[in-house]
Amino acid sequence: MAATETRLLLLGTVMLFEPVNGYQLRRELLSWEVDDWAHVNPGSIYSGLATLAKQGALERHDVVDGTREVAVYTSTTHGRREFERLWEHAVESVGLTSSLAFHTAMALLPLMPRDRVLAALTARIAALDVMTRRQLDQNTSGAASVPPHVRSLADLWMGMSQTEREWLVDLRARIERGELALRGEPVDWEVPADDPGWQMAGDRERYVKLIGKRR
Amino acid sequence: MAATETRLLLLGTVMLFEPVNGYQLRRELLSWEVDDWAHVNPGSIYSGLATLAKQGALERHDVVDGTREVAVYTSTTHGRREFERLWEHAVESVGLTSSLAFHTAMALLPLMPRDRVLAALTARIAALDVMTRRQLDQNTSGAASVPPHVRSLADLWMGMSQTEREWLVDLRARIERGELALRGEPVDWEVPADDPGWQMAGDRERYVKLIGKRR
DNA sequence: GAGAAGGTGTTCAATGTTGAACACTGATCG
DNA sequence: CGATCAGTGTTCAACATTGAACACCTTCTC
């Protein structure tokens, strides 16, 4: 189940920081407090990276950095296409099981171009509406047959959907207005000096030289 | 991660229908449309049951039903205690990762006694409040340093928490008033004749005879 | 300058999850 | 009746996840 969240998260994070090694990714993800909602144990990261590399979404470079041998990853063209596919799927799928994937996708929003984001948000709103209608129909029909606690749980679910819908409509409006820096646009917020992302910058430069690769 | 949801769900469902076999559980869970939010592939069920049996939470009886050999499960005293532990943990843990476990717990509400339910709901409300306050503090302090899309995501999270909180307060009030049939209380809703739970009744009786076991 | 402490980068055996596929039983049908 | 089909009950090899533990380096302390 979780495989798709992990793939989305890893692929996206590599794209943000490449070339990058597993430990750096872990550090960064922990600093995002992502551990509240994703599988960021060391094992998950390294095996996820290995899988993505095996599938050709990432390229692994075994680089000698000083005296140390390090596994450094970069994204491939196929990997970047795959990311878009996964991102759109995560945004357009509604339901409890997919909510982690949705949050992951939102956290990686700036990796997607504006038009794709708009389309995906619109699709999600529609999917939420479909689900809501289905629930309502079910509640009015089989009225007596469903236990009260299950009925109550359905109410919670409806309330959550409504809250999310309002948020989505608002976000879509902001994106339409051109707010939020998305892919290919200049960053519109102040990056703090102690951002761990910055601490990677030195390593990144060195890694770029060590692998003869430019993306 | 998911291990705890699966354990809670399987243990609870066995308690509802025991003595019961893996296929019956699967049928029942699918009829609940649980596949939207839980791991109910055949493999997960059978291996989950095996694990619970190995740990002494369930007892496995290899029974010969007609010509067929069937693995029938019943809960043990230890398993029922374990269920309560897992249920309370699921209810009292807030956060995206634990929301599936929370929904699972709510679906199994009638297996818990009224006072434990009240205590757990109260604890959850408190935990939500703590989490909300932490979020608010974070948003007011590091104002400029966090990217706008992350800020926005935090807003969604806050809205969801608020929605859930209101629902919890309402549910708690109803439980305090004595609404909803909980453990040891007579069922207060009409069971439909085609409820798959009923279809199990015949098998259940036969299984009870086949194993020399009374709980 | 021994050794404790903490950071960097990764592996691996144990465990959990997946879903296709198996084996069997009855029913339905030409 | 043989054949096809739907339902019952389960297994298993492939794959994913877990987190303790390893190996190595640097920094600090006594």
Side-chain angles (χ1 to χ4, degrees), chain B residues 63-138:
Chain B
V63 141
V64 178
D65 183 15
T67 65
R68 212 187 176 88
E69 167 130 323
V70 183
V72 167
Y73 290 87
T74 53
S75 65
T76 64
T77 308
H78 170 251
R80 292 188 288 276
R81 261 205 311 275
E82 175 74 354
F83 174 81
E84 292 180 0
R85 250 187 16 76
L86 290 173
W87 191 90
E88 278 164 349
H89 180 79
V91 172
E92 290 165 13
S93 306
V94 297
L96 261 190
T97 334
S98 19
S99 87
L100 285 185
F102 172 63
H103 279 254
T104 306
M106 286 302 105
L108 298 169
L109 194 63
L111 283 171
M112 292 293 286
R114 198 165 291 271
D115 55 335
R116 305 286 288 274
V117 170
L118 280 176
L121 291 180
T122 300
R124 184 175 184 86
I125 292 169
L128 269 183
D129 289 342
V130 166
M131 165 142 274
T132 301
R133 170 134 312 283
R134 202 150 59 76
Q135 272 285 355
L136 279 176
D137 290 353
Q138 224 167 51

Side-chain angles (χ1 to χ4, degrees), chain A residues 1-2 5 33 35-39 95-100 102-104 106-110 131 134 138 144-150 152-153 155-157 159-161 163-164 167 170-171 174 180-181 188-192 195, chain B residues 1-2 5 33 35-39 95-100 102-104 106-110 131 134 138 144-150 152-153 155-157 159-161 163-164 167 170-171 174 180-181 188-192 195:
Chain A
M1 182 267 280
E5 280 134 66
E33 301 185 46
D35 48 327
D36 288 351
W37 48 278
H39 310 291
L96 261 189
T97 335
S98 20
S99 87
L100 285 185
F102 172 62
H103 278 255
T104 306
M106 285 302 104
L108 298 170
L109 193 64
M131 165 144 273
R134 203 151 58 78
Q138 224 166 49
S145 74
V146 69
H149 72 282
V150 170
S152 186
L153 200 45
D155 289 344
L156 172 59
W157 173 241
M160 294 294 225
S161 300
T163 302
E164 187 186 317
W167 182 85
D170 179 63
L171 180 65
R174 292 174 60 197
L180 300 167
D188 61 344
W189 53 287
E190 199 142 358
V191 179
D195 185 296
Chain B
M1 184 266 281
E5 279 134 66
E33 301 184 46
D35 48 328
D36 288 351
W37 49 277
H39 310 290
L96 261 190
T97 334
S98 19
S99 87
L100 285 185
F102 172 63
H103 279 254
T104 306
M106 286 302 105
L108 298 169
L109 194 63
M131 165 142 274
R134 202 150 59 76
Q138 224 167 51
S145 71
V146 69
H149 72 281
V150 171
S152 186
L153 199 46
D155 289 344
L156 171 60
W157 172 242
M160 294 295 225
S161 301
T163 303
E164 186 186 318
W167 182 84
D170 179 63
L171 180 66
R174 292 174 60 197
L180 299 168
D188 61 344
W189 54 286
E190 199 144 358
V191 179
D195 185 297

Side-chain angles (χ1 to χ4, degrees), chain B residues 6-89:
Chain B
T6 306
R7 286 159 59 79
L8 180 63
L9 183 63
L10 284 176
L11 204 40
T13 317
V14 168
M15 285 167 67
L16 285 173
F17 298 106
E18 65 187 321
V20 73
N21 69 45
Y23 186 75
Q24 291 174 309
L25 289 175
R26 177 168 158 75
R27 241 208 296 74
E28 180 67 17
L29 290 174
L30 287 178
S31 88
W32 294 359
E33 301 184 46
V34 148
D35 48 328
D36 288 351
W37 49 277
H39 310 290
V40 290
N41 310 301
S44 300
I45 292 180
Y46 288 97
S47 85
L49 290 174
T51 304
L52 285 165
K54 198 169 60 194
Q55 293 166 347
L58 295 179
E59 193 171 350
R60 170 177 174 153
H61 311 268
D62 290 304
V63 141
V64 178
D65 183 15
T67 65
R68 212 187 176 88
E69 167 130 323
V70 183
V72 167
Y73 290 87
T74 53
S75 65
T76 64
T77 308
H78 170 251
R80 292 188 288 276
R81 261 205 311 275
E82 175 74 354
F83 174 81
E84 292 180 0
R85 250 187 16 76
L86 290 173
W87 191 90
E88 278 164 349
H89 180 79

